[in-house]
Amino acid sequence: MGDRRPVSVDVRNHGQASPESVLRPEVLGWKAYHVPDSAGMLKLDAMENPFGMEASVRQILADVLSNAPINRYPDAGADVLRSLMKRTLEIPESAEILLGNGSDELIQILCQAVARPGAVVLGVEPSFVMYRISAAIAGAHYVGVPLSANFAIDESALFQAIEEHRPALIFIAYPNNPTGNLFDDDLIRRVVERAPGLVVVDEAYHAFAGKSWMPQVCAWPNLLVMRTLSKLGLAGLRLGYLVGRPEWIDQLDKVRLPYNINVLTQLAAKVSLENLGVLLGQASRIVQQRGELMTALSSIPGVHVFPSEANFVTFRVSGAVAVFEALRENRILIKCLHGAHPLLADCLRVTVGSADENLMFLDALRRITSLEVSRHGG
Ligand SMILES: *Cc1c(COP(=O)(O)O)cnc(C)c1O
């Protein structure tokens, strides 16, 4: 027994394990996903609902959660919650639901499930970064197809990449993050029809978009629709859902860890969905605030606003990094997109907040950009 050791481990450093000698080399090369410290800041960086849960629902939550059986494992299939979701979230009768600890986990499950040797996961760029990260963790090859300058899908580049790489999985965020736009429906339909593998339409911002692929999710054999309760107002619960034909969902469910949706989340989501009108009402206030924020932003000299169907607004302003830093010094946290992709040069992304929050942001931005303009001589 004494000389048996795992053959794949590098033992040149005298039997002392180190990350370098044990971990996958690609893991060693990655940078950690960075979440900036937001303590004491006006937080407009992460597409959270600014309103918080209404007091009447909070009271119900307090009662229900105080009786939660947290000494027990959760319902492994979350059956009660899933059937409630089916009744409240416009999910077609013939479709099945897979729940994730946030849709982030569903992205991970999808990538792990398709990661045969040499498998390709494809997305457009810039888009949601977790597609690339989860593909890499799963050991799949990620191909990013650049959008055109107006953030629309570059159709010929996309179809060429599909033919060349034969992706097992294509992610399309609808609306797209961080650009905010919806992609052309007819083009998405052709992608679904020509794709050799799965196409996942990621509707994280569905509540603010007014358009959806959900009603037609079962019309194609290779289409799945993914949503999350996070942007709707429950980011802290971590609950995402993937919807499609049972033949896909039943297989993907084998990759899900048995108790991935905890007791508190199952109960709190149930109460929230029983009071869904509250969240939908908040979403429509956010959509109204988005319109006002976009109009006000457009009127600031030097600011170019991109169209948005989500609960954030992406805009371009010269000296974006300096503007971002100056906002942060004013304790306002947004997202700096400059440097993330060439198409995002000088771009910033702000989450739509409450009316007061948006005014604070706009006031600060007006002050900062007028200083920038005068510093650079107009
Ligand atoms: C925020 C976001 C998600 C992740 O949502 P969670 O459910 O909180 O993990 C997924 N897709 C897109 C496009 C997003 O912007």
Side-chain angles (χ1 to χ4, degrees):
M1 283 296 286
D3 62 347
R4 288 190 60 185
R5 57 179 190 239
V7 288
S8 60
V9 172
D10 180 352
V11 291
R12 279 170 297 184
N13 51 355
H14 311 289
Q16 290 295 304
S18 68
E20 289 73 19
S21 68
V22 175
L23 300 182
R24 289 159 56 193
E26 61 270 35
V27 175
L28 297 169
W30 292 334
K31 283 204 214 77
Y33 185 85
H34 173 65
V35 178
D37 183 15
S38 59
M41 310 272 277
L42 171 53
K43 198 169 180 318
L44 298 174
D45 66 323
M47 282 76 86
E48 292 147 326
N49 175 330
F51 299 119
M53 193 51 97
E54 210 168 74
S56 59
V57 184
R58 269 173 201 275
Q59 192 52 56
I60 304 170
L61 272 174
D63 294 344
V64 168
L65 294 183
S66 69
N67 289 308
I70 55 174
N71 56 318
R72 302 291 179 196
Y73 281 100
D75 172 357
D79 295 337
V80 175
L81 176 58
R82 281 189 307 126
S83 66
L84 178 63
M85 290 174 83
K86 215 161 172 179
R87 277 180 277 127
T88 51
L89 297 172
E90 317 161 292
I91 294 167
E93 196 48 49
S94 57
E96 257 308 333
I97 310 176
L98 182 69
L99 298 185
N101 192 327
S103 43
D104 283 353
E105 190 187 36
L106 295 167
I107 295 167
Q108 184 179 50
I109 288 172
L110 284 159
C111 289
Q112 285 175 336
V114 302
R116 296 179 176 196
V120 167
V121 175
L122 187 144
V124 294
E125 302 254 291
S127 190
F128 189 47
V129 294
M130 291 313 295
Y131 307 147
R132 175 186 287 278
I133 293 171
S134 286
I137 292 172
H141 181 57
Y142 184 82
V143 172
V145 181
L147 296 172
S148 41
N150 65 351
F151 299 145
I153 290 178
D154 179 340
E155 177 165 359
S156 68
L158 180 62
F159 282 118
Q160 199 180 320
I162 291 173
E163 291 314 316
E164 183 182 341
H165 299 287
R166 312 297 297 163
L169 177 58
I170 299 174
F171 283 110
I172 298 174
Y174 179 93
N176 191 34
N177 173 17
T179 59
N181 55 315
L182 287 166
F183 297 124
D184 182 71
D185 290 316
D186 207 54
L187 176 51
I188 294 176
R189 191 170 300 114
R190 278 177 281 132
V191 171
V192 174
E193 281 163 5
R194 280 170 66 176
L198 272 173
V199 177
V200 175
V201 174
D202 179 353
E203 297 190 346
Y205 300 96
H206 153 258
F208 317 100
K211 278 175 96 179
S212 174
W213 282 77
M214 187 64 89
Q216 321 163 61
V217 65
C218 292
W220 287 272
N222 60 332
L223 175 66
L224 299 173
V225 173
M226 186 167 67
R227 287 188 185 168
T228 174
L229 299 187
S230 293
K231 310 304 171 14
L232 186 58
L234 302 169
L237 285 190
R238 312 301 299 130
L239 188 68
Y241 52 111
L242 183 70
V243 177
R245 292 189 181 185
E247 70 231 44
W248 286 108
I249 299 299
D250 292 349
Q251 296 295 334
L252 294 168
D253 193 43
K254 300 173 187 173
V255 183
R256 181 182 65 87
L257 295 175
Y259 303 112
N260 64 330
I261 311 301
N262 73 70
V263 170
L264 299 176
T265 294
Q266 290 193 31
L267 289 172
K270 217 170 138 274
V271 170
S272 303
L273 291 178
E274 282 161 353
N275 295 274
L276 186 61
V278 172
L279 292 172
L280 295 179
Q282 292 178 341
S284 68
R285 282 166 73 190
I286 291 168
V287 168
Q288 191 198 331
Q289 284 302 319
R290 177 182 71 200
E292 292 179 19
L293 176 60
M294 288 174 73
T295 305
L297 270 173
S298 309
S299 73
I300 300 176
V303 171
H304 174 82
V305 180
F306 294 98
S308 173
E309 305 294 331
N311 65 340
F312 61 85
V313 179
T314 296
F315 59 99
R316 179 168 280 137
V317 59
S318 73
V321 176
V323 171
F324 169 77
E325 293 296 348
L327 283 166
R328 193 160 61 174
E329 277 157 29
N330 283 271
R331 312 215 63 74
I332 296 172
L333 185 63
I334 65 169
K335 174 83 174 177
C336 183
L337 301 172
H338 181 88
H341 189 278
L343 288 174
L344 297 172
D346 272 332
C347 286
L348 302 174
R349 183 191 71 196
V350 63
T351 304
V352 180
S354 66
D356 286 352
E357 290 175 338
N358 298 338
L359 287 179
M360 282 174 66
F361 160 73
L362 286 163
D363 275 354
L365 185 67
R366 278 192 202 99
R367 257 185 295 117
I368 289 162
T369 51
S370 63
L371 288 175
E372 283 287 310
V373 169
S374 57
R375 189 182 308 156
H376 295 297

PDB file of all heavy atoms in Angstrom, residues 94-118:
ATOM      1  N   SER A  94     -47.331  21.507 -21.504  1.00  0.00           N
ATOM      2  CA  SER A  94     -46.533  20.342 -21.906  1.00  0.00           C
ATOM      3  C   SER A  94     -45.060  20.458 -21.503  1.00  0.00           C
ATOM      4  O   SER A  94     -44.284  19.531 -21.719  1.00  0.00           O
ATOM      5  CB  SER A  94     -46.634  20.148 -23.417  1.00  0.00           C
ATOM      6  OG  SER A  94     -46.211  21.333 -24.065  1.00  0.00           O
ATOM      7  N   ALA A  95     -44.664  21.596 -20.914  1.00  0.00           N
ATOM      8  CA  ALA A  95     -43.251  21.804 -20.584  1.00  0.00           C
ATOM      9  C   ALA A  95     -42.931  21.304 -19.174  1.00  0.00           C
ATOM     10  O   ALA A  95     -43.803  21.191 -18.328  1.00  0.00           O
ATOM     11  CB  ALA A  95     -42.907  23.285 -20.693  1.00  0.00           C
ATOM     12  N   GLU A  96     -41.656  21.017 -18.936  1.00  0.00           N
ATOM     13  CA  GLU A  96     -41.163  20.678 -17.602  1.00  0.00           C
ATOM     14  C   GLU A  96     -40.264  21.811 -17.100  1.00  0.00           C
ATOM     15  O   GLU A  96     -39.783  22.629 -17.890  1.00  0.00           O
ATOM     16  CB  GLU A  96     -40.375  19.362 -17.649  1.00  0.00           C
ATOM     17  CG  GLU A  96     -41.137  18.162 -17.106  1.00  0.00           C
ATOM     18  CD  GLU A  96     -41.719  18.382 -15.704  1.00  0.00           C
ATOM     19  OE1 GLU A  96     -41.182  19.195 -14.925  1.00  0.00           O
ATOM     20  OE2 GLU A  96     -42.727  17.739 -15.403  1.00  0.00           O
ATOM     21  N   ILE A  97     -40.005  21.803 -15.785  1.00  0.00           N
ATOM     22  CA  ILE A  97     -39.192  22.867 -15.165  1.00  0.00           C
ATOM     23  C   ILE A  97     -38.020  22.263 -14.411  1.00  0.00           C
ATOM     24  O   ILE A  97     -38.190  21.308 -13.641  1.00  0.00           O
ATOM     25  CB  ILE A  97     -40.015  23.666 -14.120  1.00  0.00           C
ATOM     26  CG1 ILE A  97     -41.360  24.118 -14.695  1.00  0.00           C
ATOM     27  CG2 ILE A  97     -39.225  24.858 -13.619  1.00  0.00           C
ATOM     28  CD1 ILE A  97     -42.224  24.822 -13.661  1.00  0.00           C
ATOM     29  N   LEU A  98     -36.841  22.832 -14.607  1.00  0.00           N
ATOM     30  CA  LEU A  98     -35.662  22.490 -13.805  1.00  0.00           C
ATOM     31  C   LEU A  98     -35.302  23.723 -12.984  1.00  0.00           C
ATOM     32  O   LEU A  98     -35.162  24.821 -13.538  1.00  0.00           O
ATOM     33  CB  LEU A  98     -34.494  22.110 -14.730  1.00  0.00           C
ATOM     34  CG  LEU A  98     -33.198  21.676 -14.062  1.00  0.00           C
ATOM     35  CD1 LEU A  98     -33.368  20.327 -13.378  1.00  0.00           C
ATOM     36  CD2 LEU A  98     -32.068  21.591 -15.096  1.00  0.00           C
ATOM     37  N   LEU A  99     -35.165  23.555 -11.666  1.00  0.00           N
ATOM     38  CA  LEU A  99     -34.836  24.695 -10.813  1.00  0.00           C
ATOM     39  C   LEU A  99     -33.340  24.748 -10.525  1.00  0.00           C
ATOM     40  O   LEU A  99     -32.701  23.713 -10.336  1.00  0.00           O
ATOM     41  CB  LEU A  99     -35.592  24.600  -9.481  1.00  0.00           C
ATOM     42  CG  LEU A  99     -37.117  24.633  -9.552  1.00  0.00           C
ATOM     43  CD1 LEU A  99     -37.703  24.659  -8.141  1.00  0.00           C
ATOM     44  CD2 LEU A  99     -37.603  25.833 -10.348  1.00  0.00           C
ATOM     45  N   GLY A 100     -32.820  25.951 -10.470  1.00  0.00           N
ATOM     46  CA  GLY A 100     -31.407  26.144 -10.150  1.00  0.00           C
ATOM     47  C   GLY A 100     -31.220  27.124  -9.011  1.00  0.00           C
ATOM     48  O   GLY A 100     -32.087  27.974  -8.767  1.00  0.00           O
ATOM     49  N   ASN A 101     -30.095  27.005  -8.336  1.00  0.00           N
ATOM     50  CA  ASN A 101     -29.705  27.949  -7.297  1.00  0.00           C
ATOM     51  C   ASN A 101     -29.243  29.222  -8.015  1.00  0.00           C
ATOM     52  O   ASN A 101     -28.056  29.471  -8.221  1.00  0.00           O
ATOM     53  CB  ASN A 101     -28.579  27.331  -6.460  1.00  0.00           C
ATOM     54  CG  ASN A 101     -28.320  28.114  -5.188  1.00  0.00           C
ATOM     55  OD1 ASN A 101     -28.466  29.327  -5.161  1.00  0.00           O
ATOM     56  ND2 ASN A 101     -27.934  27.424  -4.155  1.00  0.00           N
ATOM     57  N   GLY A 102     -30.227  29.997  -8.479  1.00  0.00           N
ATOM     58  CA  GLY A 102     -29.983  31.063  -9.439  1.00  0.00           C
ATOM     59  C   GLY A 102     -29.875  30.452 -10.830  1.00  0.00           C
ATOM     60  O   GLY A 102     -29.601  29.255 -10.964  1.00  0.00           O
ATOM     61  N   SER A 103     -30.128  31.255 -11.861  1.00  0.00           N
ATOM     62  CA  SER A 103     -29.932  30.696 -13.205  1.00  0.00           C
ATOM     63  C   SER A 103     -28.449  30.459 -13.473  1.00  0.00           C
ATOM     64  O   SER A 103     -28.093  29.677 -14.346  1.00  0.00           O
ATOM     65  CB  SER A 103     -30.606  31.517 -14.297  1.00  0.00           C
ATOM     66  OG  SER A 103     -30.415  32.870 -14.114  1.00  0.00           O
ATOM     67  N   ASP A 104     -27.583  31.096 -12.689  1.00  0.00           N
ATOM     68  CA  ASP A 104     -26.153  30.764 -12.778  1.00  0.00           C
ATOM     69  C   ASP A 104     -25.926  29.252 -12.661  1.00  0.00           C
ATOM     70  O   ASP A 104     -25.125  28.674 -13.389  1.00  0.00           O
ATOM     71  CB  ASP A 104     -25.371  31.448 -11.643  1.00  0.00           C
ATOM     72  CG  ASP A 104     -25.132  32.927 -11.904  1.00  0.00           C
ATOM     73  OD1 ASP A 104     -25.453  33.399 -13.008  1.00  0.00           O
ATOM     74  OD2 ASP A 104     -24.622  33.599 -10.994  1.00  0.00           O
ATOM     75  N   GLU A 105     -26.643  28.620 -11.732  1.00  0.00           N
ATOM     76  CA  GLU A 105     -26.442  27.181 -11.569  1.00  0.00           C
ATOM     77  C   GLU A 105     -26.986  26.408 -12.754  1.00  0.00           C
ATOM     78  O   GLU A 105     -26.444  25.361 -13.143  1.00  0.00           O
ATOM     79  CB  GLU A 105     -27.092  26.672 -10.271  1.00  0.00           C
ATOM     80  CG  GLU A 105     -26.669  25.235  -9.984  1.00  0.00           C
ATOM     81  CD  GLU A 105     -27.402  24.594  -8.821  1.00  0.00           C
ATOM     82  OE1 GLU A 105     -28.601  24.862  -8.626  1.00  0.00           O
ATOM     83  OE2 GLU A 105     -26.770  23.813  -8.098  1.00  0.00           O
ATOM     84  N   LEU A 106     -28.059  26.908 -13.359  1.00  0.00           N
ATOM     85  CA  LEU A 106     -28.606  26.227 -14.537  1.00  0.00           C
ATOM     86  C   LEU A 106     -27.632  26.308 -15.713  1.00  0.00           C
ATOM     87  O   LEU A 106     -27.493  25.360 -16.491  1.00  0.00           O
ATOM     88  CB  LEU A 106     -29.959  26.838 -14.905  1.00  0.00           C
ATOM     89  CG  LEU A 106     -31.041  26.636 -13.841  1.00  0.00           C
ATOM     90  CD1 LEU A 106     -32.246  27.518 -14.123  1.00  0.00           C
ATOM     91  CD2 LEU A 106     -31.444  25.157 -13.779  1.00  0.00           C
ATOM     92  N   ILE A 107     -26.962  27.443 -15.826  1.00  0.00           N
ATOM     93  CA  ILE A 107     -25.945  27.593 -16.873  1.00  0.00           C
ATOM     94  C   ILE A 107     -24.837  26.563 -16.649  1.00  0.00           C
ATOM     95  O   ILE A 107     -24.364  25.900 -17.580  1.00  0.00           O
ATOM     96  CB  ILE A 107     -25.378  29.036 -16.866  1.00  0.00           C
ATOM     97  CG1 ILE A 107     -26.476  30.035 -17.245  1.00  0.00           C
ATOM     98  CG2 ILE A 107     -24.171  29.157 -17.800  1.00  0.00           C
ATOM     99  CD1 ILE A 107     -26.120  31.488 -16.967  1.00  0.00           C
ATOM    100  N   GLN A 108     -24.461  26.396 -15.387  1.00  0.00           N
ATOM    101  CA  GLN A 108     -23.427  25.413 -15.046  1.00  0.00           C
ATOM    102  C   GLN A 108     -23.895  23.984 -15.355  1.00  0.00           C
ATOM    103  O   GLN A 108     -23.150  23.189 -15.939  1.00  0.00           O
ATOM    104  CB  GLN A 108     -23.083  25.562 -13.571  1.00  0.00           C
ATOM    105  CG  GLN A 108     -21.959  24.668 -13.104  1.00  0.00           C
ATOM    106  CD  GLN A 108     -21.659  24.876 -11.631  1.00  0.00           C
ATOM    107  OE1 GLN A 108     -22.556  24.866 -10.788  1.00  0.00           O
ATOM    108  NE2 GLN A 108     -20.398  25.089 -11.319  1.00  0.00           N
ATOM    109  N   ILE A 109     -25.136  23.669 -14.993  1.00  0.00           N
ATOM    110  CA  ILE A 109     -25.684  22.335 -15.269  1.00  0.00           C
ATOM    111  C   ILE A 109     -25.695  22.069 -16.776  1.00  0.00           C
ATOM    112  O   ILE A 109     -25.288  20.991 -17.240  1.00  0.00           O
ATOM    113  CB  ILE A 109     -27.112  22.207 -14.667  1.00  0.00           C
ATOM    114  CG1 ILE A 109     -27.032  22.119 -13.140  1.00  0.00           C
ATOM    115  CG2 ILE A 109     -27.851  20.996 -15.253  1.00  0.00           C
ATOM    116  CD1 ILE A 109     -28.386  22.185 -12.428  1.00  0.00           C
ATOM    117  N   LEU A 110     -26.133  23.049 -17.544  1.00  0.00           N
ATOM    118  CA  LEU A 110     -26.172  22.888 -19.007  1.00  0.00           C
ATOM    119  C   LEU A 110     -24.775  22.630 -19.562  1.00  0.00           C
ATOM    120  O   LEU A 110     -24.581  21.730 -20.384  1.00  0.00           O
ATOM    121  CB  LEU A 110     -26.772  24.145 -19.646  1.00  0.00           C
ATOM    122  CG  LEU A 110     -28.291  24.288 -19.531  1.00  0.00           C
ATOM    123  CD1 LEU A 110     -28.718  25.745 -19.712  1.00  0.00           C
ATOM    124  CD2 LEU A 110     -28.983  23.402 -20.570  1.00  0.00           C
ATOM    125  N   CYS A 111     -23.816  23.419 -19.109  1.00  0.00           N
ATOM    126  CA  CYS A 111     -22.451  23.269 -19.630  1.00  0.00           C
ATOM    127  C   CYS A 111     -21.874  21.906 -19.248  1.00  0.00           C
ATOM    128  O   CYS A 111     -21.245  21.238 -20.072  1.00  0.00           O
ATOM    129  CB  CYS A 111     -21.553  24.392 -19.124  1.00  0.00           C
ATOM    130  SG  CYS A 111     -21.936  25.987 -19.857  1.00  0.00           S
ATOM    131  N   GLN A 112     -22.098  21.500 -18.003  1.00  0.00           N
ATOM    132  CA  GLN A 112     -21.583  20.196 -17.569  1.00  0.00           C
ATOM    133  C   GLN A 112     -22.226  19.064 -18.357  1.00  0.00           C
ATOM    134  O   GLN A 112     -21.570  18.092 -18.722  1.00  0.00           O
ATOM    135  CB  GLN A 112     -21.867  19.989 -16.074  1.00  0.00           C
ATOM    136  CG  GLN A 112     -20.954  20.803 -15.182  1.00  0.00           C
ATOM    137  CD  GLN A 112     -21.331  20.684 -13.714  1.00  0.00           C
ATOM    138  OE1 GLN A 112     -22.475  20.389 -13.378  1.00  0.00           O
ATOM    139  NE2 GLN A 112     -20.370  20.931 -12.851  1.00  0.00           N
ATOM    140  N   ALA A 113     -23.524  19.194 -18.630  1.00  0.00           N
ATOM    141  CA  ALA A 113     -24.238  18.105 -19.293  1.00  0.00           C
ATOM    142  C   ALA A 113     -23.802  17.930 -20.751  1.00  0.00           C
ATOM    143  O   ALA A 113     -23.815  16.815 -21.265  1.00  0.00           O
ATOM    144  CB  ALA A 113     -25.746  18.343 -19.212  1.00  0.00           C
ATOM    145  N   VAL A 114     -23.426  19.018 -21.422  1.00  0.00           N
ATOM    146  CA  VAL A 114     -23.056  18.905 -22.853  1.00  0.00           C
ATOM    147  C   VAL A 114     -21.565  18.671 -23.053  1.00  0.00           C
ATOM    148  O   VAL A 114     -21.131  18.454 -24.195  1.00  0.00           O
ATOM    149  CB  VAL A 114     -23.470  20.156 -23.665  1.00  0.00           C
ATOM    150  CG1 VAL A 114     -24.970  20.413 -23.564  1.00  0.00           C
ATOM    151  CG2 VAL A 114     -22.665  21.383 -23.277  1.00  0.00           C
ATOM    152  N   ALA A 115     -20.771  18.726 -21.969  1.00  0.00           N
ATOM    153  CA  ALA A 115     -19.310  18.764 -22.119  1.00  0.00           C
ATOM    154  C   ALA A 115     -18.711  17.402 -22.486  1.00  0.00           C
ATOM    155  O   ALA A 115     -17.869  16.852 -21.771  1.00  0.00           O
ATOM    156  CB  ALA A 115     -18.648  19.329 -20.859  1.00  0.00           C
ATOM    157  N   ARG A 116     -19.168  16.848 -23.612  1.00  0.00           N
ATOM    158  CA  ARG A 116     -18.436  15.711 -24.182  1.00  0.00           C
ATOM    159  C   ARG A 116     -17.056  16.206 -24.599  1.00  0.00           C
ATOM    160  O   ARG A 116     -16.862  17.405 -24.792  1.00  0.00           O
ATOM    161  CB  ARG A 116     -19.145  15.233 -25.451  1.00  0.00           C
ATOM    162  CG  ARG A 116     -20.544  14.680 -25.257  1.00  0.00           C
ATOM    163  CD  ARG A 116     -21.076  14.287 -26.627  1.00  0.00           C
ATOM    164  NE  ARG A 116     -22.375  13.659 -26.553  1.00  0.00           N
ATOM    165  CZ  ARG A 116     -22.907  12.959 -27.556  1.00  0.00           C
ATOM    166  NH1 ARG A 116     -22.236  12.823 -28.709  1.00  0.00           N
ATOM    167  NH2 ARG A 116     -24.090  12.418 -27.442  1.00  0.00           N
ATOM    168  N   PRO A 117     -16.082  15.295 -24.779  1.00  0.00           N
ATOM    169  CA  PRO A 117     -14.765  15.756 -25.239  1.00  0.00           C
ATOM    170  C   PRO A 117     -14.914  16.569 -26.527  1.00  0.00           C
ATOM    171  O   PRO A 117     -15.578  16.147 -27.463  1.00  0.00           O
ATOM    172  CB  PRO A 117     -14.000  14.453 -25.484  1.00  0.00           C
ATOM    173  CG  PRO A 117     -14.683  13.436 -24.610  1.00  0.00           C
ATOM    174  CD  PRO A 117     -16.132  13.831 -24.554  1.00  0.00           C
ATOM    175  N   GLY A 118     -14.321  17.760 -26.540  1.00  0.00           N
ATOM    176  CA  GLY A 118     -14.355  18.601 -27.739  1.00  0.00           C
ATOM    177  C   GLY A 118     -15.624  19.417 -27.906  1.00  0.00           C
ATOM    178  O   GLY A 118     -15.764  20.153 -28.885  1.00  0.00           O
TER     179      GLY A 118
END
